[in-house]
Amino acid sequence: MKRLGIIVICIATLTISCAKQSPRVVTGDVGRVTKQSEALTKALESYRETTTTMRALAWAEMGLDEEVRKTEAALVIARPTSLRIDAMDALADVWARAGTADGRLWLSLPAKRKLYSGRASRAMLSRLTGFDWRVDELVAVLAGSAPVPVGAQLHQVGPGRDRHFRVVGEPLHLWLAKRGGPVVRCARYTNDEREPLYIVTFSDHRSVGGVLVPHRIEALFPTRRARILVELHEVDRGATIERATFLPPSKGRFKHVRFRE
């Protein structure tokens, strides 16, 4: 069951920066529209459009309390909510597959010939992993971007030198590198913005077909004492991906077990 726990963590939170300190938030500052906030809104929209699909190999390290698990994986995503992860051992043999499709979450363990499935809901992901994620948040982060909703407006917060922005109407904050460039950190806070629910850091940006894509994604979940690191390799974006990629294997080959919410 330890491997089951690993891949469940993978599918629900395969992402993310272990910042030593929580990013500072200007509590009560709703921000303002600036040229920088408008430019960032357009940049995020452009990145979303150019990373609608993505394939990559990944190295993941997942820590819960003092326990650390490591695995190699093949990753396929299609925005907004389709995901496929194949976890592999050192010999590149797949020991677990997981994915989301049509609002369902599934996990197969080939060696045990078992298939688990259930609704891909926030409640299910939270129950299985302890982390409060929506599937679209997970997919966005794996694609290398802050989980800003389509059509959302951004405001700049605090001094301009901070390069700090927030999503209007949500406790989601973003930071750019001090010298400009792509988003290097985002954090979702509690509604009162006193505590971060998670902090995501994007780094090691490399050009993939003319688009800067972060190849190192880390996440810290402070209240859960959890940390996840994903390093991407051989990233391919924009490819046509068949819908069948995200579907679970045939139930006839596996003993089917339903996740309980």
Side-chain angles (χ1 to χ4, degrees):
M1 291 302 291
K2 287 185 177 180
R3 282 192 165 184
L4 172 60
I6 295 173
I7 196 61
V8 166
I9 294 173
C10 282
I11 187 155
T13 50
L14 188 57
T15 48
I16 341 186
S17 153
C18 188
K20 293 183 179 179
Q21 294 182 350
S22 300
R24 182 173 63 87
V25 168
V26 184
T27 302
D29 186 349
V30 297
R32 61 204 181 280
V33 176
T34 65
K35 291 182 179 180
Q36 290 76 21
S37 68
E38 292 178 335
L40 178 55
T41 298
K42 293 180 180 179
L44 290 172
E45 291 174 352
S46 176
Y47 187 87
R48 184 186 299 113
E49 292 172 356
T50 55
T51 56
T52 54
T53 63
M54 186 179 292
R55 299 178 186 268
L57 298 179
W59 171 255
E61 297 181 7
M62 296 149 283
L64 288 172
D65 292 322
E66 297 181 357
E67 184 177 20
V68 178
R69 299 289 182 179
K70 303 177 182 180
T71 188
E72 295 183 64
L75 171 68
V76 185
I77 67 170
R79 294 178 185 263
T81 58
S82 295
L83 171 67
R84 168 72 177 266
I85 299 169
D86 289 5
M88 302 176 290
D89 60 23
L91 298 177
D93 290 329
V94 176
W95 57 264
R97 293 183 174 90
T100 60
D102 301 330
R104 305 291 293 177
L105 167 70
W106 61 269
L107 162 68
S108 71
L109 302 176
K112 295 185 177 181
R113 301 183 68 83
K114 287 188 176 181
L115 172 65
Y116 300 83
S117 69
R119 289 197 313 123
S121 62
R122 178 193 288 269
M124 176 61 73
L125 294 180
S126 178
R127 178 177 179 275
L128 292 177
T129 68
F131 306 142
D132 192 15
W133 284 95
R134 297 190 312 261
V135 174
D136 60 320
E137 286 182 296
L138 170 61
V139 171
V141 170
L142 285 176
S145 63
V148 177
V150 175
Q153 184 179 11
L154 295 176
H155 280 179
Q156 189 161 9
V157 179
R161 64 177 181 274
D162 289 350
R163 299 187 179 277
H164 175 190
F165 304 82
R166 67 175 298 164
V167 178
V168 176
E170 289 195 30
L172 178 63
H173 292 247
L174 294 74
W175 288 261
L176 302 183
K178 292 301 182 183
R179 295 183 180 180
V183 173
V184 295
R185 182 186 294 168
C186 71
R188 183 177 292 279
Y189 288 79
T190 54
N191 289 333
D192 61 9
E193 299 196 344
R194 294 184 178 275
E195 299 291 339
L197 298 175
Y198 61 78
I199 305 163
V200 182
T201 300
F202 305 98
S203 59
D204 190 16
H205 289 78
R206 307 179 197 175
S207 177
V208 178
V211 176
L212 282 179
V213 176
H215 282 55
R216 182 182 174 92
I217 304 169
E218 295 181 273
L220 175 68
F221 300 84
T223 60
R224 306 290 184 176
R225 299 180 62 187
R227 172 183 176 269
I228 302 170
L229 164 68
V230 174
E231 294 181 345
L232 301 178
H233 307 279
E234 300 183 26
V235 176
D236 177 30
R237 64 171 186 82
T240 300
I241 300 175
E242 297 294 332
R243 176 178 174 275
T245 300
F246 305 104
L247 298 178
S250 172
K251 295 178 182 178
R253 298 169 48 204
F254 294 84
K255 179 181 178 180
H256 187 210
V257 180
R258 293 189 180 279
F259 289 131
R260 294 182 180 179
E261 291 193 55

